[in-house]
Each structure stands twice: as structure tokens, then as C-alpha cells.
Amino acid sequence: MKNIRKNMVLLNLNENKEFAVYFLCVVLFIGLGVGLFILRGQILFLLFPVLGLLVFTYFYFSRYERMLRKIAFQDEEEFVSLFTFFQVYLNDGFNVYNALQSIIPYASDSVRVHLEKLVNDIENDKTVTPYIEFADHFNDIQINQVMLSVYQMVDQGTNEVYLRQFRQIFGRLSDQKHELGKQKKIERVSSLSALPLIGSGVSMVMLLTALVEIMGGVMNGL
């Protein structure tokens, strides 16, 4: 429960509203179960709403973790896009500070605030700390390595040696993110192939329910 609330805070969700929606759905599932039991008179019909509630609870609360992972991955993809422009600015002769300033307008709100803080902190702190703090907002450790190489260009100068080092480290990160993006698309397509199986499972459950009802009717007739 603590993890769920923590995830809600990170996603800026209204905790009371989220739990109110969940409570309402629980009441609906319970009402459905009671209604089916009254109409059909078979305890088996209570099983389906209970199973439905368990499945709903799992997907309802696990979605916070999925949303956070999705946001984190999108921010990392955006980092790659932004620092591709950063690399272009460096190649055009910009220094690191001006190149960082130049990519801020292209950033989304969630990443822009961290970029602006990085640029402001660089003015007051000439150590590696602002670069590390910026990298800490991302989950991928390779981003930390990229930012260290950016700091080296500030500390040692944007000569060809450190530019080449930045290109190599950033290139590996970019290739990895592109590959992960392809894999996610393949996984989404593959997940669609499970829909016929789910449909078959629902059909089997409905058939089983109908058979139980028929058998009950026959036994009552005897």
C-alpha cells in the first residue's frame, strides 16, 4: 500500500479520488455477484465476480508502476533526442553551456525543468555535481556516463579527444534506446496475438456456466 501511495504522488494523482473509484468498482462487483446469485440460485455464479474483482484489483493498482516505467522510458528517449541536437550544436562550434541552453526550447515540461536547473546550477557550481544531479533524474546508468563526458568537455575543453569520447558514449546509449524502442513495438504487436486466446477462454467460461445451469435445471426437474 505504501508503494501504491508513493507511485500516486510521483504521478501527481489524487489519492482520495483513486481509492474512491476503486471502492465504487468493488461495490459494483459485489452487487453483480449478489445479483447473479439471487437470479440463478447457484453459488458458482459468485465465483465469476470474485475472480473479476481480483483481476481488476491487480491491473488497477499495478498500472501505477507501468505508468512510471513508461514515463521514465519516454524521458530517456527524449534525452537521446535532445542530446542529438546538443551534439550538433557542439559540432557547429557552440560551447557546452550554450549548447545546453539551445536545447531547452525543444524539451518537454518534465525534462525542461531539469535542464533549466542544470544550466542555472552550472553558473554557480563548476564541479561535476550539477551534471550528476541531472543524470540522477533518469534510470539508465549510461546517462550518468554521458553527463560525465559532458563535464569533461567543460573541465578540459571541447577538443577533438573529448568530443570523440562523448560521441562514442552517447552513440552507445542512442543505439540501445533505438533497439529497446523496436523491442517494445514488437512486444505490443505480439500481445495482440493473445486476444484470440482470451476470447476462447471467455467462451469456455460462458459454456461451462451454461452447462452448469442446464444440469441444475435437469436435476431440479428430477
Side-chain angles (χ1 to χ4, degrees):
M1 188 63 68
K2 288 182 180 179
N3 287 337
I4 291 172
R5 285 177 171 161
K6 179 182 177 182
N7 290 342
M8 286 183 185
V9 171
L10 291 173
L11 292 166
N12 296 319
L13 297 176
N14 187 310
E15 184 177 324
N16 292 330
K17 181 179 178 181
E18 290 292 308
F19 280 107
V21 170
Y22 175 71
F23 179 76
L24 177 61
C25 292
V26 169
V27 171
L28 290 174
F29 274 105
I30 292 174
L32 177 62
V34 172
L36 286 173
F37 178 72
I38 292 173
L39 289 174
R40 300 297 185 180
Q42 296 280 344
I43 274 198
L44 178 65
F45 287 98
L46 290 173
L47 178 63
F48 300 123
V50 170
L51 290 175
L53 177 59
L54 291 174
V55 172
F56 170 77
T57 298
Y58 171 76
F59 283 103
Y60 187 78
F61 288 114
S62 66
R63 86 186 199 278
Y64 303 125
E65 196 68 34
R66 293 195 300 272
M67 289 166 67
L68 286 173
R69 286 200 300 268
K70 181 179 179 181
I71 291 171
F73 184 76
Q74 287 174 341
D75 284 350
E76 289 169 5
E77 283 191 317
E78 184 176 350
F79 177 91
V80 171
S81 298
L82 289 172
F83 275 75
T84 299
F85 289 115
F86 173 80
Q87 184 173 237
V88 171
Y89 286 121
L90 290 180
N91 293 335
D92 287 343
F94 284 58
N95 62 37
V96 169
Y97 183 82
N98 290 334
L100 288 171
Q101 280 187 316
S102 299
I103 63 175
I104 289 176
Y106 303 107
S108 65
D109 292 339
S110 62
V111 177
R112 182 185 294 119
V113 64
H114 300 307
L115 267 175
E116 290 174 342
K117 184 177 183 301
L118 171 63
V119 170
N120 291 332
D121 288 349
I122 288 173
E123 293 181 356
N124 303 315
D125 187 349
K126 304 305 180 184
T127 69
V128 72
T129 301
Y131 303 88
I132 297 300
E133 289 179 347
F134 174 75
D136 285 342
H137 293 293
F138 303 91
N139 292 334
D140 197 323
I141 190 66
Q142 288 194 72
I143 291 179
N144 191 291
Q145 295 173 356
V146 170
M147 295 311 298
L148 284 175
S149 71
V150 172
Y151 169 72
Q152 285 183 318
M153 287 190 289
V154 174
D155 189 48
Q156 304 294 332
T158 52
N159 58 53
E160 185 58 33
V161 173
Y162 291 103
L163 270 173
R164 191 183 310 116
Q165 177 181 277
F166 169 79
R167 292 190 194 109
Q168 290 174 347
I169 296 173
F170 179 69
R172 287 197 298 270
L173 174 67
S174 179
D175 292 342
Q176 181 196 60
K177 292 305 173 187
H178 287 310
E179 188 61 32
L180 283 174
K182 290 179 184 177
Q183 290 177 4
K184 285 184 176 294
K185 289 178 182 178
I186 293 172
E187 288 172 0
R188 283 197 292 268
V189 173
S190 298
S191 65
L192 295 177
S193 63
L195 292 178
L197 294 176
I198 295 173
S200 298
V202 172
S203 299
M204 291 295 293
V205 170
M206 294 176 65
L207 179 60
L208 176 62
T209 304
L211 288 173
V212 169
E213 190 171 358
I214 291 170
M215 291 296 293
V218 170
M219 294 180 68
N220 289 334
L222 295 175

